């Protein structure tokens, strides 16, 4: 931890800061300039509370050197991690595409969607049984019945399922239905009680980035899950909110290489929620693969015009199949496979 003293701080104030560092069992390194004094705390800085030093007389600012996220950091785990979902790797040399509708609607719709996922060459299926919606009057999902429809349709093709958990009270139900991958949505990225609970189960978790979350906040949210014992975490960039109104969200492609540098865990991208329009999805998906994403979460509906939720951003089965061919070529160009 680095403590920068105020302009012409007194010797007594400097000695006071040093005393607090020593009380915590650490050593100090003092650098004196012409006007400023900088004090470095040497040792386990987790023992130091920055807030405790910020209020001390004469202190200008306090900066941590070590990262607060330990388990998810690449510093503590230099090699990239591969999360396996029923044997299917997420991370490593192979890129996975998880396809399926935004929401589960009917058995017939899910049967057609599952067939479209398989025909396109995707190995995992997504579908929302519980839907967080901006309006309380919008379709909120079928709930447990939706889980049944999703499980049945995907099961016919042996596809692992990905679905969103919104309420900690439904976690036991998700475990009962043996959901393969639990998704934590953008609006719940900092629902710490929910993160703690999924940290106690042995299931892969897709953690979506919050609408206005920083990279650091996102990493710390993952640390909550990892601290509970569940290290099977997959980051999902889904676009962030800015001042721009021409499209739904700004896909932060820069976040992909930054996360790959900061964490050993896989990083996937949701181009559907980023652009909010089906015509944008192929370009955003291609950019994500080129930037190093380990996978994609793409919305596909058997008949997008009739979708009950987010119809504008869903691809038709044929469009997903065509996109998969393009993505395979890009993956090959960057030394990976689809």
């Amino acid at each position: 931890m680095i403590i920068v003293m105020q302009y012409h701080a007194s010797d007594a104030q400097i000695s006071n800061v040093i005393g607090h560092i020593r009380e915590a069992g650490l050593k100090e390194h003092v650098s004196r300039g012409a006007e400023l004094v900088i004090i470095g705390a040497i040792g386990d800085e987790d023992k130091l509370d920055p807030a405790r030093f910020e209020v001390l007389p004469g202190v200008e600012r306090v900066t941590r050197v070590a990262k607060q996220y330990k388990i998810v950091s690449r510093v503590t785990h230099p090699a990239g991690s591969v999360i396996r979902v029923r044997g299917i790797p997420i991370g490593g040399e192979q890129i996975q595409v998880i396809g399926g509708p935004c929401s589960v609607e009917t058995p017939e719709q899910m049967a057609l969607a599952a067939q479209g996922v398989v025909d396109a060459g995707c190995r995992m299926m997504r579908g929302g049984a519980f839907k967080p919606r901006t309006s309380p009057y919008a379709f909120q999902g079928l709930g447990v019945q939706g889980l049944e429809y999703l499980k049945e349709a995907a099961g016919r093709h042996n596809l692992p399922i990905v679905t969103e958990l919104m309420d900690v009270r439904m976690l036991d139900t998700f475990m009962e239905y043996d959901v393969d991958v639990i998704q934590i949505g953008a609006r719940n990225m900092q629902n710490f009680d929910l993160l703690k609970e999924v940290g106690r189960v042995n299931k892969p978790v897709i953690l979506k980035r919050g609408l206005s979350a920083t990279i650091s906040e996102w990493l710390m949210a993952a640390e909550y899950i990892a601290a509970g014992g569940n290290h099977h975490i997959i980051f999902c960039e889904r676009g962030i909110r800015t001042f721009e109104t021409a499209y739904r969200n700004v896909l932060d492609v820069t976040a992909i290489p930054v996360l790959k540098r900061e964490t050993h865990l896989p990083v996937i991208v949701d181009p559907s929620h980023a652009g909010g329009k089906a015509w944008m999805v192929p370009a955003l998906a291609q950019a994500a693969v080129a930037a190093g994403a380990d996978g994609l979460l793409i919305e596909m509906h058997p008949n997008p015009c009739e979708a009950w939720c987010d119809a504008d951003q869903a691809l038709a089965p044929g469009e997903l199949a065509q996109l998969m061919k393009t993505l395979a070529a890009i993956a090959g160009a960057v030394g990976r496979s689809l």
Side-chain angles (χ1 to χ4, degrees):
M1 192 164 73
I2 302 295
I3 300 139
V4 180
M5 302 302 293
Q6 292 174 353
Y7 179 72
H8 287 322
S10 68
D11 288 340
Q13 291 171 335
I14 294 169
S15 296
N16 184 37
V17 170
I18 292 173
H20 279 76
I21 292 173
R22 291 177 178 175
E23 284 177 12
L26 282 75
K27 296 180 180 180
E28 77 283 353
H29 179 273
V30 182
S31 176
R32 295 179 181 270
E35 298 176 341
L36 292 178
V37 173
I38 299 174
I39 305 171
I42 303 171
D44 184 2
E45 70 175 47
D46 285 342
K47 297 179 180 179
L48 302 179
D49 180 4
R52 179 183 174 188
F53 285 85
E54 288 169 346
V55 299
L56 293 179
V59 172
E60 175 69 27
R61 64 182 182 275
V62 180
T63 304
R64 280 189 176 273
V65 176
K67 296 177 173 63
Q68 288 181 282
Y69 44 92
K70 308 290 187 185
I71 304 171
V72 306
S73 172
R74 190 174 282 276
V75 172
T76 57
H77 194 297
S81 291
V82 176
I83 309 300
R84 295 192 178 275
V85 182
R86 278 206 255 157
I88 300 171
I90 299 179
E93 297 303 315
Q94 194 174 72
I95 298 169
Q96 301 298 339
V97 177
I98 305 167
C102 173
S103 64
V104 179
E105 300 165 6
T106 65
E108 294 76 18
Q109 170 243 10
M110 292 306 295
L112 290 172
Q115 187 62 57
V117 167
V118 171
D119 290 346
C122 304
R123 300 177 66 188
M124 300 175 66
M125 185 174 182
R126 59 156 295 155
F130 301 86
K131 298 299 302 178
R133 305 300 299 278
T134 302
S135 169
Y137 308 112
F139 174 59
Q140 306 288 315
L142 297 178
V144 175
Q145 187 178 52
L147 279 181
E148 294 175 354
Y149 292 165
L150 173 59
K151 188 80 176 174
E152 181 180 356
R156 295 194 192 104
H157 303 278
N158 197 32
L159 294 168
I161 61 172
V162 177
T163 193
E164 182 172 350
L165 175 67
M166 294 172 50
D167 191 331
V168 69
R169 293 171 295 183
M170 293 304 298
L171 181 55
D172 287 343
T173 302
F174 272 51
M175 298 302 289
E176 178 185 340
Y177 278 84
D178 197 22
V179 170
D180 296 287
V181 182
I182 298 172
Q183 176 181 304
I184 302 297
R187 292 170 179 83
N188 272 319
M189 190 204 81
Q190 288 186 309
N191 183 340
F192 300 121
D193 287 337
L194 184 59
L195 299 180
K196 289 176 183 177
E197 289 303 313
V198 297
R200 295 188 177 103
V201 301
N202 187 29
K203 288 281 184 182
V205 176
I206 288 177
L207 179 64
K208 283 197 165 186
R209 185 181 184 180
L211 279 68
S212 302
T214 64
I215 297 290
S216 179
E217 289 170 337
W218 193 9
L219 287 161
M220 287 306 299
E223 190 77 4
Y224 264 92
I225 300 172
N230 186 356
H231 299 177
H232 307 296
I233 305 165
I234 302 157
F235 289 90
C236 182
E237 163 63 36
R238 45 83 68 201
I240 54 176
R241 179 173 290 170
T242 70
F243 57 84
E244 184 55 71
T245 58
Y247 33 81
R248 187 171 181 177
N249 296 295
V250 174
L251 179 63
D252 186 6
V253 178
T254 311
I256 302 169
V258 170
L259 273 179
K260 300 289 279 186
R261 181 184 177 91
E262 290 293 315
T263 179
H264 58 91
L265 296 167
V267 181
I268 68 173
V269 169
D270 180 347
S272 303
H273 278 90
K277 298 291 182 182
W279 63 268
M280 295 185 190
V281 172
L284 298 181
Q286 292 161 25
V289 171
D294 297 303
L296 298 166
L297 198 63
I298 297 179
E299 291 190 7
M300 180 275 292
H301 193 283
N303 191 344
C305 294
E306 297 180 0
W308 297 1
C309 173
D310 288 341
D312 287 352
Q313 66 195 40
L315 300 182
E319 292 173 326
L320 177 60
Q322 182 58 47
L323 175 58
M324 290 289 285
K325 295 178 182 177
T326 306
L327 294 176
I330 296 174
V334 296
R336 302 177 79 181
S337 64
L338 192 67

